Amino acid sequence: MKLKVGRTILIGMAFLSISAFWQMYDNIIPLILEQTFNLGETITGVIMAMDNVLALFLLPILGGLSDKVNTAWGKRTPFIVGGTILAILFMMMLPVSERVEDLTVFIVCLFGTLIAMGLYRSPAVALMPDLTPNKLRSKANAIINLMGAVGGLYALAMITVLSGNKKDPNYMPLFMAIATFMAVSVLILVLTIKENKVKQQAIKEYGEVALLKPMKYLIVASLCSLVTYTMIMSDMVYLFTYNLGLDAGEISACLLARTILGGILIPIVGKIVLRTDKRETLIGFYLFGMAGMIVIKVMGIVGFTGLCAYIFFATICTTIYWQIMPSVFYDMCEYDKVTTGKN
């Protein structure tokens, strides 16, 4: 059985759009909160972490709901399309409220955007395992991650071009570029992937999945990883902005290097997993990345070399999560299906 690479790339268009949005979100929203609205680092960090708090409650609910829905478009596609439309509508209000410096409207629209993104994030992630045989999911996941890297590269390129070195940047063109990219990506997915025509292999009930014995540990580990990722990214943007004095264009260049490095690591991690074990690979990369960041933190980031080292170790930790953790969840569900005989 051979993986259909072309179809997998088209399935990955949803994740492509998601990655573009989150790259812009992690890079630009902290700058707006701190520079436009003059919020402190702590409050900014709390607001930036709210997407993970919302995800903890929304993603299982919305993912389970998409399992039960059956439409002419399939189970996942309606959520992906509806979530994209709502996300674009809310996110386009963010630069408007930023220009008039209305913090209340900005926060309301920000939370609306996060909820809309949550509406289609789980269905978008579930689409690949639904449409891909079990034995091919690891390879397919690598392609999906590469699609995410491409989305991140696009967002960073747009930040560099449309934000530039301006002290008082107008973010409207940037948000329009990301919104257009999201709309086009999802449109390509809808026009090329007919979900109902492909055999589906979905886990039917998220509640049953959550009751699997090892699942609670995986959920806690995943939540901790996502919260840590948000903290690292927020701290990184703060470091670039205030400690190193970089502008939006220079920050996007640093994050662009991080994204390229993450893309290079994806096939390397895939080969290591095939020769060893997913758990061992995940733990090994985490320990290596954590040890490197601790050493850099203790020594202090000095000059360009120290900055590159910090980005390198942070990228290792974030890349390994997205490369391995989703497939671990799939494997756990498949293992339970084999041992119990239940879907």
Side-chain angles (χ1 to χ4, degrees), residues 3 7-9 11-12 14-15 76 80 122-134 136-145 189 198-201 326-327 330:
L3 178 68
R7 189 180 72 183
T8 304
I9 291 175
I11 292 173
F15 193 66
R76 318 297 181 185
I80 294 173
S122 277
V125 172
L127 187 61
M128 184 277 287
D130 277 358
L131 308 182
T132 306
N134 182 37
L136 301 177
R137 286 178 184 169
S138 292
K139 293 181 180 179
N141 194 52
I143 294 176
I144 297 296
N145 284 328
L189 170 68
V198 184
K199 184 180 179 181
Q200 301 195 11
Q201 302 175 358
S327 61
Y330 306 149

Side-chain angles (χ1 to χ4, degrees), residues 41 231-232 235-236 238-239 243 289-302 306-307 309-311 313:
E41 180 182 1
M231 293 171 62
I232 290 175
D235 181 69
M236 189 178 294
Y238 188 88
L239 170 72
N243 293 66
M290 289 165 54
M293 285 194 289
I294 291 173
V295 170
I296 294 297
K297 184 67 176 179
V298 172
M299 295 176 60
I301 299 179
V302 180
L307 178 62
Y310 180 79
I311 294 175
F313 288 117

Side-chain angles (χ1 to χ4, degrees), residues 217-294:
Y217 302 112
L218 290 177
I219 291 174
V220 172
S222 181
L223 178 62
C224 291
S225 296
L226 291 173
V227 171
T228 303
Y229 169 77
T230 300
M231 293 171 62
I232 290 175
M233 290 305 301
S234 297
D235 181 69
M236 189 178 294
V237 172
Y238 188 88
L239 170 72
F240 292 162
T241 305
Y242 296 102
N243 293 66
L244 301 180
L246 305 182
D247 58 37
E250 292 169 331
I251 292 174
S252 66
C254 292
L255 296 179
L256 178 63
R258 168 186 165 273
T259 304
I260 294 174
L261 176 59
I264 294 173
L265 287 174
I266 288 174
I268 296 175
V269 171
K271 292 181 179 180
I272 294 175
V273 166
L274 292 176
R275 295 184 179 182
T276 57
D277 177 78
K278 291 179 182 178
R279 184 183 63 176
E280 294 175 357
T281 303
L282 181 66
I283 294 174
F285 271 77
Y286 263 161
L287 291 176
F288 178 69
M290 289 165 54
M293 285 194 289
I294 291 173

